[in-house]
Amino acid sequence: GDSWGIFTFLCAALCNLPALPALNCSEELGAGQSIQQTYDLTRYLEHQLRTLAGTYLNYLGPPFNEPDFNPPRLARAERVPSATVDLDLWRGLTDNARLAANYRAYSRLLCYLRVLDGQVGTAELRHRLAHFCASLQGLVLSIGGVMSSLGYPLPVGPAGPPAPPGAPAAPNDFLKKMDDFWLLKELQTWLWRSAKDFNRLKKKVPPAVVTLRLEARGF
Amino acid sequence: SPPPPPSLSPDPAVISPQDPTLVIGSSLVATCTVSPDFPLKAEDLYWTLNGRRLPATSYATLGPSTLSVALAHLNGSRQQSGDNLVCHSRDGGILAGSCLYVGLPPEKPVNITCWSKNMKDLTCKWAPGTEGETFLHTNYTLKYKLRWYGRDNTCQEYHTAGPYSCHIPKDLALFTPYEIWVEASNRLGVAVSDVVMLDILDVVTTDPPSDVHVSRVGDLEDQLSVRWSSPTALKDFFFQAKYQIQYRVEDSSEWKVVDDVGNQTSCRLAGLRPGTVYFVQVRCNPFSIYGSKKAGIWSDWSNPTAASTPRSERSAGGCDPKGGEQNTTLRRELKQFFGWVKKHAYGCSNLGIKLYDQWRVWLQKSHKTRNQ
């Protein structure tokens, strides 16, 4: 459970260290492992989000915690970056674009989550949120690490102020609840999508360790 | 599920009142007015509260695109984030919502207790008022001031010792009493606890004793010796420590407490079971710090230290007396005595537990002959 997750998180953070120098394809070796670990981290976060979202939606109360709840996505909610994308568009993304989209989305989502952290009522929720934010920060770092090891520049993201630019506060408490609902929904969708993104990247940048072993056996 | 209505910049409808705060038992009439850009009329609307549809009998049409609902005798809010009162269009889509905060004003917090660790800080706990009001989120603020100096201070670090606690880490004065109180506030009002007056020196606690060692006492099967060091943080301050020891058998959860350990740093536990593992803990009370006659506050228990009593020896050979005699306390004590005699009184080497056993056998035989 938790200890496995913390382990993968630490591994992901440590992956930002320079890769082993002795190998020929040293950068790809580092990237391959980083991609796997980033993938593992998204799965761990997905698991953590399920508990967090359950608790948070219960705090918002019905109808927000009803399984078939489908509120209107008002224009104001568009500020949360959407994971939904055309299938062909998604397939056609370059590695750089794919990674950058993930990096930007999670940086943004992290900002919004941190604002939430300052406002929620119960101590239990604050604690869970803080834990989730820390893990999400780890994911952002991990994605950044993958990009660096593949030689891509990091996207110029939001500076990280509590209120991202162009984001008016919700005018009333009910609309704020809707914003919170959509934030959690979007996080969930992004984590589903990221698992597929990193799976795809894994295939294109396999861990070099495997190829080395095959060479040693004379294949 | 029904398709959501199109999302346009102006909100589809407006509810009034928006996010009101109400006392339990009060009534409310809320109105939903559809925005002119929307082709909806009052008869196309309905209300839900926390996901449950409200009966049409409580509705009233106030205008072509305004529908009201009457809510009577409101119960306390189902969740602290507010009850969700929602105005829907006929197909189920959400047009607008309002969060209702229904509860009671807070009660005075009670039972404020504080303690100071090594006179360096102050931690206080309290309990919410009797209702333990939970419908509305209640904010607690601990305030304190020195008795004869006017300025109020506010404690900043909360939840350090449970949900109703606060920690003041520094800048505490000695020799002048503090006035301490807790303010509880929620959307409906504020309640202030009674003021507690205390002197830091009267509520001092310290670290648990360090270097707790538990060891056997020679071969004695029923004793263990406990030794510890007095906590160092208060060593420069004149105080007498009182200590307490608690111990338990490894697989039991019942602790035995030794209460009257004075100012010493060692103690012997007796009457223990042989061949048993014991867990031992010690704690300290900085009694009479700076000569104050009041007891301080007991420290936490030290981490448990384990030790085992020696196993009781079995008698050698096969001429053991019958029955349960082997395990009597008397026999055990005699054995210890003979052991001591062997060590300290040369020339009495014939005295031994075997001799005692032979005497018992002889005793039983003589009883039999006497009774025959």
Side-chain angles (χ1 to χ4, degrees):
Chain A
D2 250 358
S3 44
W4 175 74
I6 290 171
F7 174 71
T8 41
F9 161 61
L10 286 172
C11 283
L14 288 170
C15 263
N16 295 321
L17 299 173
L20 307 166
L23 298 164
N24 228 350
C25 38
S26 58
E27 279 165 358
E28 288 206 354
L29 169 64
Q33 286 184 340
S34 295
I35 290 171
Q36 176 63 45
Q37 277 151 2
T38 311
Y39 171 83
D40 290 339
L41 199 48
T42 62
R43 299 312 304 273
Y44 170 65
L45 275 163
E46 206 190 326
H47 165 76
Q48 229 191 320
L49 181 60
R50 250 177 262 141
T51 319
L52 173 65
T55 312
Y56 197 72
L57 292 175
N58 282 337
Y59 171 71
L60 295 184
F64 294 94
N65 59 354
E66 282 161 7
D68 55 353
F69 184 56
N70 186 24
R73 191 106 186 241
L74 301 176
R76 42 176 303 93
E78 295 309 317
R79 63 190 166 110
V80 175
S82 179
T84 321
V85 65
D86 174 74
L87 181 61
D88 291 324
L89 208 79
W90 180 76
R91 276 217 201 102
L93 284 173
T94 62
D95 292 347
N96 190 2
R98 193 178 297 280
L99 286 163
N102 274 267
Y103 186 88
R104 269 193 224 102
Y106 289 118
S107 301
R108 215 68 189 292
L109 289 164
L110 187 58
C111 278
Y112 290 120
L113 267 183
R114 282 185 174 144
V115 176
L116 210 68
D117 192 10
Q119 298 165 344
V120 282
T122 72
E124 184 210 355
L125 256 179
R126 272 197 298 269
H127 175 78
R128 281 193 202 275
L129 254 175
H131 186 202
F132 189 84
C133 280
S135 306
L136 193 57
Q137 172 79 78
L139 179 60
V140 172
L141 286 173
S142 188
I143 299 172
V146 172
M147 294 185 81
S148 301
S149 66
L150 290 174
Y152 300 132
L154 287 182
V156 179
N172 65 54
D173 293 352
F174 187 80
L175 284 176
K176 183 175 183 311
K177 285 192 179 187
M178 294 244 273
D179 284 350
D180 293 351
F181 174 86
W182 280 115
L183 177 60
L184 292 172
K185 252 287 175 280
E186 209 50 72
L187 253 173
Q188 190 175 56
T189 318
W190 262 109
L191 288 169
W192 284 341
R193 172 176 151 178
S194 291
K196 296 182 175 52
D197 279 323
F198 285 98
N199 226 1
R200 210 177 168 82
L201 284 164
K202 252 200 289 187
K203 293 181 182 139
K204 298 177 92 189
V205 187
V209 178
V210 175
T211 40
L212 284 174
R213 258 197 228 129
L214 289 173
E215 279 161 21
R217 288 195 190 156
F219 286 105
Chain B
S1 58
S7 56
L8 297 173
S9 296
D11 290 330
V14 169
I15 291 185
S16 175
Q18 180 71 56
D19 309 332
T21 303
L22 303 147
V23 179
I24 289 181
S26 46
S27 302
L28 175 72
V29 173
T31 62
C32 177
T33 306
V34 183
S35 162
D37 304 329
F38 274 72
L40 286 169
K41 298 201 201 54
E43 54 259 30
D44 300 321
L45 310 175
Y46 71 92
W47 293 90
T48 61
L49 179 63
N50 289 328
R52 281 227 188 95
R53 190 161 182 151
L54 292 168
T57 47
S58 58
Y59 302 169
T61 306
L62 300 184
S65 49
T66 305
L67 183 72
S68 77
V69 66
L71 301 161
H73 311 303
L74 288 165
N75 289 323
S77 284
R78 188 188 179 284
Q79 55 272 341
Q80 282 191 359
S81 64
D83 291 322
N84 301 313
L85 179 66
V86 183
C87 174
H88 299 259
S89 60
R90 195 197 296 272
D91 60 359
I94 291 178
L95 301 175
S98 177
C99 294
L100 309 183
Y101 301 96
V102 189
L104 295 166
E107 300 239 335
K108 275 188 350 178
V110 293
N111 298 344
I112 300 178
T113 49
C114 304
W115 62 94
S116 169
K117 188 91 177 285
N118 301 324
M119 301 185 292
K120 290 218 166 65
D121 65 7
L122 190 68
T123 306
C124 293
K125 313 198 282 210
W126 61 89
T130 44
E131 280 271 324
E133 218 261 52
T134 50
F135 301 115
L136 301 174
H137 171 69
T138 308
N139 231 348
Y140 292 92
T141 309
L142 183 114
K143 294 200 173 154
Y144 59 102
K145 75 186 210 5
L146 280 169
R147 189 158 186 210
W148 297 298
Y149 302 80
R151 217 166 45 101
D152 284 3
N153 299 289
T154 307
C155 178
Q156 306 289 336
E157 294 174 26
Y158 289 85
H159 319 300
T160 52
Y164 305 107
S165 66
C166 197
H167 177 240
I168 303 165
K170 57 185 178 142
D171 299 332
L172 287 165
L174 300 177
F175 309 117
T176 304
Y178 272 95
E179 293 182 358
I180 300 177
W181 66 98
V182 179
E183 295 178 3
S185 76
N186 67 20
R187 286 169 188 264
L188 281 172
V190 182
V192 183
S193 71
D194 294 334
V195 175
V196 155
M197 198 118 60
L198 59 79
D199 199 313
I200 303 281
L201 287 180
D202 291 335
V203 293
V204 180
T205 186
T206 187
D207 309 293
S210 52
D211 304 326
V212 177
H213 291 299
V214 185
S215 48
R216 292 180 175 180
V217 183
D219 290 330
L220 296 178
E221 306 164 339
D222 64 336
Q223 297 186 21
L224 286 173
S225 163
V226 189
R227 242 175 284 274
W228 59 88
S229 303
S230 134
T232 50
L234 294 175
K235 65 175 163 39
D236 296 331
F237 304 98
F238 183 67
F239 79 104
Q240 289 207 309
K242 273 199 302 189
Y243 297 98
Q244 246 183 14
I245 301 175
Q246 71 173 6
Y247 63 96
R248 66 175 171 88
V249 177
E250 179 173 20
D251 44 9
S252 154
S253 52
E254 264 186 60
W255 291 96
K256 282 215 176 86
V257 179
V258 181
D259 216 346
D260 44 8
V261 186
N263 197 8
Q264 65 231 43
T265 54
S266 66
C267 178
R268 196 183 287 198
L269 304 174
L272 306 178
R273 262 198 271 150
T276 314
V277 176
Y278 281 89
F279 290 148
V280 181
Q281 294 179 302
V282 190
R283 66 179 180 175
C284 175
N285 185 324
F287 173 62
S288 115
I289 193 156
Y290 279 129
S292 120
K293 290 285 186 293
K294 289 192 186 171
I297 296 176
W298 287 103
S299 72
D300 289 333
W301 290 103
S302 63
N303 283 329
T305 308
S308 63
T309 45
R311 272 184 202 290
S312 60
E313 292 167 20
R314 295 212 200 104
S315 303
C319 1
D320 297 329
K322 286 203 176 42
E325 283 187 332
Q326 298 198 355
N327 288 333
T328 60
T329 320
L330 172 63
R331 189 170 182 285
R332 226 184 315 128
E333 238 178 73
L334 266 174
K335 216 177 139 199
Q336 283 167 3
F337 170 63
F338 291 138
W340 181 87
V341 163
K342 270 205 182 113
K343 268 197 198 157
H344 298 269
Y346 305 96
C348 300
S349 49
N350 287 336
L351 269 180
I353 198 68
K354 286 210 183 110
L355 202 62
Y356 167 71
D357 291 336
Q358 283 174 0
W359 175 69
R360 295 283 328 229
V361 171
W362 174 87
L363 200 64
Q364 274 187 332
K365 278 193 189 146
S366 69
H367 269 313
K368 270 196 198 147
T369 41
R370 250 182 264 150
N371 293 340
Q372 274 171 359

